[in-house]
Amino acid sequence: MSLTRVLTGKLQRRLDPFLMLDAFGSDDPDDYIAGFPDHPHRGFETVTYMLAGRMRHRDSAGHEGLLGDGGVQWMVAGRGVIHSEIPEQKDGVMEGFQLWLNLPAKNKMGEPWYQDCQSAAIPEYVTATGVTVRVIAGSSNGVDGVVTREITEPLYLDIHVPAGVSFSTALPETHNAFIYVYRGAVEVGGTQVSVQRMGMLSNTPGADGVTLAANEDARLILIAGKPLNEPIVQYGPFVMNTQEEIHQALDDFRNGRFA
Ligand code: CO
């Protein structure tokens, strides 16, 4: 699978509780046909939002689901799952995002959990000026998303802003937040964020939200969450708090104690 890593390891502290964001998008089957064969995760959550395409998920906790256009899959790896994500299409466009959301230390070894939501199940609202907002997680302008997570309280919005229009939504002051523009461009806080660019929102004391404006039709995701402020030790698909816990994860995985 060919990916653009938008949020990298260097930003994990700044954008705590988010560990990674990958954007994928291609109409060349060679770029996506292999998908992601069996691989493990421990200690965090993965959120896959599909703009276009079909991908089947299977995991060692017994969950299976087909993710389609506009759908979202939310998986809590907890103490460990082995899963695969394999395309169910041989041509056409596959486009979307995978976000990694950290778990608090006390929940890293919890039970795995999985939910998939087809597009129609994702709440959507349209503002008076024609901005369409899909609320995947959290709450925006009084509309609750399809997923609510305690502790990190993530907000995950897919926002379509017509040219010449602006859009505002509240953000908790304590949250770290960023946007990723996947069509067009937006202006936020006096800064232009162009297509395939991430914009980190400043944590201004007393600020109560964000306003963004589009000079051309724009589409973006807005992601925010409450920082955990705990140590982050990552080794590939394992994200724990200490090096010892990473060694334990590797040992458990190698000895078949994940499933
Ligand atoms: Co995975």
Side-chain angles (χ1 to χ4, degrees):
M1 183 77 91
S2 96
L3 297 167
T4 305
R5 186 138 297 175
V6 178
L7 193 172
T8 62
K10 285 183 298 191
L11 292 171
Q12 286 176 345
R13 181 50 62 190
R14 169 63 182 83
L15 292 176
D16 180 13
F18 302 105
L19 299 165
M20 194 196 80
L21 177 70
D22 282 340
F24 50 91
S26 177
D27 57 6
D28 178 356
D30 288 344
D31 285 340
Y32 60 71
I33 205 76
F36 301 95
D38 273 344
H39 61 278
H41 292 286
R42 172 180 279 184
F44 59 100
E45 315 187 16
T46 67
V47 183
T48 308
Y49 178 44
M50 202 72 149
L51 295 171
R54 287 192 315 282
M55 193 132 75
R56 183 168 297 275
H57 163 97
R58 280 194 186 90
D59 71 42
S60 54
H63 305 119
E64 179 170 347
L66 180 64
L67 187 61
D69 293 2
V72 67
Q73 177 216 79
W74 203 291
M75 184 180 82
V76 177
R79 63 181 178 77
V81 292
I82 297 165
H83 77 154
S84 62
E85 298 149 296
I86 303 294
E88 286 209 352
Q89 64 188 55
K90 291 189 166 55
D91 49 32
V93 175
M94 177 162 292
E95 183 179 18
F97 306 99
Q98 187 171 84
L99 177 72
W100 288 12
L101 168 62
N102 210 354
L103 279 167
K106 64 174 182 175
N107 292 339
K108 280 184 178 291
M109 293 298 280
E111 282 300 303
W113 178 85
Y114 168 90
Q115 180 182 355
D116 65 49
C117 312
Q118 302 306 316
S119 185
I122 297 177
E124 199 173 292
Y125 68 89
V126 182
T127 69
T129 52
V131 179
T132 302
V133 182
R134 311 193 77 217
V135 188
I136 295 162
S139 167
S140 170
N141 291 311
V143 177
D144 290 333
V146 73
V147 175
T148 303
R149 300 292 294 148
E150 292 170 1
I151 301 174
T152 52
E153 299 171 15
L155 174 72
Y156 192 149
L157 307 177
D158 179 11
I159 307 169
H160 304 178
V161 193
V165 166
S166 67
F167 167 77
S168 299
T169 191
L171 287 174
E173 191 182 350
T174 50
H175 278 36
N176 286 326
F178 64 96
I179 60 171
Y180 177 74
V181 178
Y182 66 91
R183 297 283 189 281
V186 296
E187 194 184 302
V188 54
T191 300
Q192 186 83 1
V193 183
S194 51
V195 71
Q196 290 174 358
R197 292 285 173 187
M198 171 198 230
M200 283 186 282
L201 305 187
S202 59
N203 299 69
T204 311
D208 58 0
V210 62
T211 297
L212 32 98
N215 292 320
E216 54 183 300
D217 288 357
R219 295 186 176 207
L220 65 145
I221 51 175
L222 166 61
I223 292 169
K226 188 174 174 183
L228 291 166
N229 296 312
E230 293 177 350
I232 301 165
V233 182
Q234 175 171 8
Y235 181 79
F238 311 124
V239 184
M240 304 300 290
N241 303 109
T242 68
Q243 205 57 247
E244 290 69 34
E245 290 167 340
I246 292 294
H247 291 313
Q248 187 65 54
L250 279 163
D251 194 58
D252 287 349
F253 175 57
R254 287 174 181 150
N255 290 288
R257 290 191 293 262
F258 258 48

